[in-house]
Amino acid sequence: MDNMNHPYLRLLKENRRITSGFQYTIPSSDTYPYQWLWDSCFHAIILSHFRIADAKKEILALLSKQFQNGMIPHMIYWENIKRMGFPKIKWGKEDTSTITQPPMIAYAVWSIYQKDKDKSFIKKVYPHLYHFYRYLLTERDPHGNQLIGIMNPDESGEDNSPRFDIPLGLPPVHSLKENAKRRFGLVAQNIECKFDAPFCMRNFFWVKDVPFNAIMVENLRLLAQIAASLGYSEDADFFASEAENIVSAMRKFMLEDGLFWSTFGENYQKIKVKTWAIFAPLFAKILTQKEAEKLVKKHLLNPKEFWTEFPVPTVSISESSFDPQGFWRGPTWIATNWFIYKGLLNYGFNGVAEQIKETSIKLIQESGFREYFNPQTGEGLGAKNFTWGVLVLDMRS
Ligand code: GLC
């Protein structure tokens, strides 16, 4: 195992917190002083290379606030909200949010297990994982159409992405304030619905998002491997076949002319806004080699779309919604680059993957561990000392 002396790892140490006996890593002390779901999975993936005990603690803290129905909330307020000065969001619950985030937990657990083969750890976390993924497969797919629905843009992890403008009833250009108002409006409806996803919430916002489903596919496959390692062969078969069912449904409902589009509503209307989401299927090996080649050549390496000075912008520069400083409306983020990097390796695009790794490292060297970056100038934006930037250390084959 690599040692903990790499200079980037200082950030993980600085952002580590221990509350009520639980250890976790906050995304950024000035902006995000709590625990977030997919951030914690990324932190655990990084830690799995260097400090496996801390990686396990990160996951255990995340699982500790699982809801009775299996859902794992995307935020855990470990510290007093008032004292931390964080804007108070009315989730309808005091200590956590009431929505989830991209289900990267099985991937993080598998990364940990690969390093030390500690069966007692996977045995301990397996029941939580089982209930979480079962929750997504049932409550978020009530009619068995094999696509997982999200009920708030924040569940995608890309809060104000233009993928959600049409379902939110917003034009391609609008203020962040207006966007936030709509998203918090959904939270209020969520409370009124008593958090009933299948019968109530989906009447207000019901999106089958490409990255969320691609992430689900890859995680279900790894969950199947975790189950198999524990000798639960029926579960292993079940999760493996659910993964492939989602792949088929993605191809059926989302794919058009070589691109996968997120959909909304009961009748799967495609949201044809070009964002990095078109590359997310590479991460879960959903495309054929030929499809992948076309996608990379025509879109990723296209300077009029995604091949900017500091790729990969989260939104194509050809979109009217593209804003190089607009949070999830254009800037380059290290986590999305990490997904694309892994996806490119799946198809043997090692040279392109290497370029993305190099520009990601350059962004950090020149602008620091900022939350996101201007894809054209490299300027650092948003929160400072943002932990998941250290994912560049996991950009390896
Ligand atoms: C922002 C991001 C979200 C992330 C959170 C904490 O809300 O949009 O993806 O999980 O910050 O870093």
Side-chain angles (χ1 to χ4, degrees):
M1 194 167 297
D2 307 27
N3 68 44
M4 200 64 192
N5 293 331
H6 194 287
Y8 288 0
L9 296 171
R10 192 176 45 86
L11 189 57
L12 275 143
K13 266 195 219 153
E14 278 171 14
N15 286 347
R16 181 186 299 160
R17 300 286 180 274
I18 299 175
T19 313
S20 319
F22 285 102
Q23 182 177 308
Y24 55 97
T25 315
I26 57 170
S28 158
S29 60
D30 60 357
T31 316
Y32 303 108
Y34 304 105
Q35 186 174 17
W36 266 261
L37 193 160
W38 75 335
D39 299 68
S40 256
C41 295
F42 298 138
H43 304 160
I45 291 166
I46 304 160
L47 285 166
S48 74
H49 294 288
F50 307 97
R51 224 13 118 90
I52 205 144
D54 291 339
K56 289 175 184 171
K57 285 181 190 166
E58 186 87 24
I59 296 294
L60 293 176
L62 186 62
L63 301 179
S64 71
K65 300 281 180 181
Q66 185 163 29
F67 289 12
Q68 252 194 339
N69 66 3
M71 198 189 83
I72 295 179
H74 91 302
M75 285 173 70
I76 302 178
Y77 292 107
W78 287 106
E79 301 279 344
N80 182 288
I81 296 169
K82 268 204 197 111
R83 188 155 52 80
M84 304 302 281
F86 193 81
K88 178 138 173 75
I89 301 166
K90 288 203 173 73
W91 294 108
K93 225 170 175 284
E94 276 307 305
D95 55 346
T96 71
S97 71
T98 43
I99 60 171
T100 193
Q101 247 186 352
M104 280 296 290
I105 309 177
Y107 188 106
V109 167
W110 186 249
S111 304
I112 294 170
Y113 182 63
Q114 285 318 287
K115 311 287 177 334
D116 71 354
K117 300 279 171 187
D118 174 7
K119 275 223 169 100
S120 68
F121 175 68
I122 54 170
K123 198 160 184 195
K124 189 167 175 180
V125 298
Y126 182 74
H128 294 278
L129 268 54
Y130 177 92
H131 288 298
F132 178 50
Y133 289 94
R134 287 289 295 210
Y135 162 83
L136 293 172
L137 288 168
T138 52
E139 299 276 302
R140 298 309 185 90
D141 178 27
H143 297 309
N145 289 334
Q146 319 288 356
L147 286 177
I148 311 303
I150 55 170
M151 50 191 203
N152 190 309
D154 294 46
E155 292 202 308
S156 73
E158 297 171 66
D159 314 359
N160 72 335
S161 166
R163 289 205 298 287
F164 309 116
D165 289 352
I166 296 169
L168 285 177
L170 288 166
V173 179
H174 59 264
S175 69
L176 188 57
K177 207 170 153 201
E178 179 63 14
N179 191 288
K181 202 173 139 200
R182 299 283 165 117
R183 291 187 281 117
F184 292 138
L186 288 173
V187 174
Q189 279 161 327
N190 198 357
I191 296 170
E192 245 172 70
C193 287
K194 301 196 170 35
F195 315 110
D196 187 331
F199 299 111
C200 190
M201 269 318 293
R202 70 197 174 104
N203 298 326
F204 304 108
F205 183 93
W206 193 234
V207 169
K208 307 293 170 80
D209 200 30
V210 172
F212 198 101
N213 278 278
I215 288 170
M216 183 75 176
V217 167
E218 192 58 16
N219 275 265
L220 283 175
R221 288 184 188 136
L222 296 177
L223 182 57
Q225 296 210 49
I226 294 170
S229 307
L230 289 167
Y232 306 146
S233 59
E234 254 179 50
D235 286 9
D237 291 348
F238 171 74
F239 288 124
S241 75
E242 288 293 311
E244 298 327 304
N245 288 341
I246 296 176
V247 171
S248 308
M250 285 180 76
R251 296 193 71 90
K252 180 172 165 200
F253 294 111
M254 296 172 158
L255 187 59
E256 195 178 310
D257 297 332
L259 296 182
F260 283 81
W261 303 103
S262 297
T263 73
F264 75 104
E266 296 277 296
N267 51 356
Y268 300 96
Q269 288 188 60
K270 294 192 181 79
I271 307 165
K272 294 197 171 170
V273 180
K274 240 181 248 163
T275 71
W276 83 279
I278 63 172
F279 307 116
L282 297 168
F283 176 71
K285 307 172 234 31
I286 291 166
L287 299 157
T288 63
Q289 186 68 27
K290 221 168 150 196
E291 287 167 339
E293 270 160 29
K294 197 168 155 203
L295 177 73
V296 170
K297 213 164 141 198
K298 205 168 154 199
H299 301 286
L300 183 62
L301 298 177
N302 181 349
K304 293 204 172 93
E305 293 191 4
F306 291 95
W307 208 246
T308 54
E309 195 63 27
F310 295 92
V312 178
T314 37
V315 175
S316 164
I317 61 172
S318 63
E319 287 289 341
S320 53
S321 56
F322 173 75
D323 171 0
Q325 301 188 317
F327 204 40
W328 288 100
R329 301 180 78 82
T332 295
W333 290 66
I334 301 299
T336 41
N337 271 8
W338 178 86
F339 281 111
I340 297 170
Y341 173 88
K342 296 280 173 186
L344 290 168
L345 290 187
N346 285 337
Y347 290 87
F349 298 113
N350 297 19
V352 188
E354 197 53 36
Q355 287 184 61
I356 289 178
K357 176 180 172 172
E358 276 167 21
T359 50
S360 300
I361 291 172
K362 197 167 165 213
L363 281 171
I364 289 166
Q365 280 169 350
E366 288 180 7
S367 305
F369 281 100
R370 297 300 296 269
E371 187 180 10
Y372 50 99
F373 305 87
N374 183 318
Q376 290 160 323
T377 65
E379 180 198 5
L381 300 158
K384 295 194 176 115
N385 298 320
F386 192 69
T387 322
W388 85 31
V390 187
L391 267 178
V392 292
L393 298 184
D394 186 65
M395 288 189 188
R396 43 170 102 179
S397 37

